[in-house]
Amino acid sequence: MTLSAGTRPTQSVGVVERVTIDASVWLAALWAHEPGHAAAARVLAEVDRQHIRMVQPALFLPEVCGAVRRRTGREDTAAALTDALLRSPLITMSSLTLDVATESAACAVRLGLRGADACYVATSRLEQTTLITLDLEVIERARVLIEVQSPADWLER
């Protein structure tokens, strides 16, 4: 997985498309045996090709990089991924400030979501991005608050 460096985001009539991509999509894109792999890999490739900005909750880093370390058993691979994600000009990390944590808790309570899922929904809501996830429960529950789509649906937009 590579993300373009030094390029500008795609613009349409002065509006920059921005997305938040759940860890489920990133991990499915990395491993061919994961359900949803093909669509997840296409989403990341399309985001890169179109230079679409990603706004990710800071929790995304340990979620994805920790999973890579556990699955591969390789610290160097996970560390290289961490570095690449942090250096990507397409990714902005949203810190878990008290305000964001409060919004995440409100999303968890209102929608009945797990904590990590609520962080992605809150980031999407606060940053006004489309959340892309493979988690059908999040898609169903969060659609009352945010624009949320499966990878396949986002690719058909």
Side-chain angles (χ1 to χ4, degrees):
M1 163 181 23
T2 59
L3 298 173
S4 298
T7 54
R8 304 206 62 182
T10 300
Q11 294 191 1
S12 171
V13 192
V15 176
V16 176
E17 181 177 6
R18 298 176 336 141
V19 297
T20 299
I21 302 177
D22 185 60
S24 64
V25 176
W26 287 87
L27 295 172
L30 291 172
W31 286 288
H33 68 278
E34 287 289 322
H37 167 74
R42 283 183 47 219
V43 163
L44 293 184
E46 195 64 18
V47 164
D48 187 48
R49 186 184 71 76
Q50 293 184 39
H51 311 297
I52 295 170
R53 297 286 181 164
M54 292 169 273
V55 181
Q56 298 294 119
L59 172 67
F60 148 80
L61 275 175
E63 262 196 306
V64 171
C65 298
V68 167
R69 169 63 167 95
R70 284 191 323 276
R71 288 188 186 187
T72 65
R74 300 204 40 156
E75 183 179 349
D76 60 331
T77 300
L81 177 59
T82 302
D83 185 54
L85 293 171
L86 286 170
R87 287 185 297 113
S88 172
L90 297 178
I91 299 174
T92 299
M93 295 292 175
S94 173
S95 296
L96 186 59
T97 63
L98 182 56
D99 288 343
V100 175
T102 301
E103 179 68 19
S104 297
C107 289
V109 169
R110 179 174 177 191
L111 304 174
L113 295 174
R114 292 179 295 271
D117 293 334
C119 288
Y120 283 90
V121 171
T123 297
S124 180
R125 181 175 164 98
L126 293 169
E127 297 292 338
Q128 300 179 339
T129 64
T130 299
L131 176 61
I132 304 169
T133 182
L134 285 166
D135 189 323
L136 298 178
E137 180 181 76
V138 172
I139 292 170
E140 183 62 32
R141 293 180 182 198
R143 67 172 37 141
V144 299
L145 291 181
I146 61 169
E147 178 70 28
V148 56
Q149 297 178 325
S150 69
D153 289 339
W154 184 82
L155 288 164
E156 291 177 7
R157 74 196 192 294

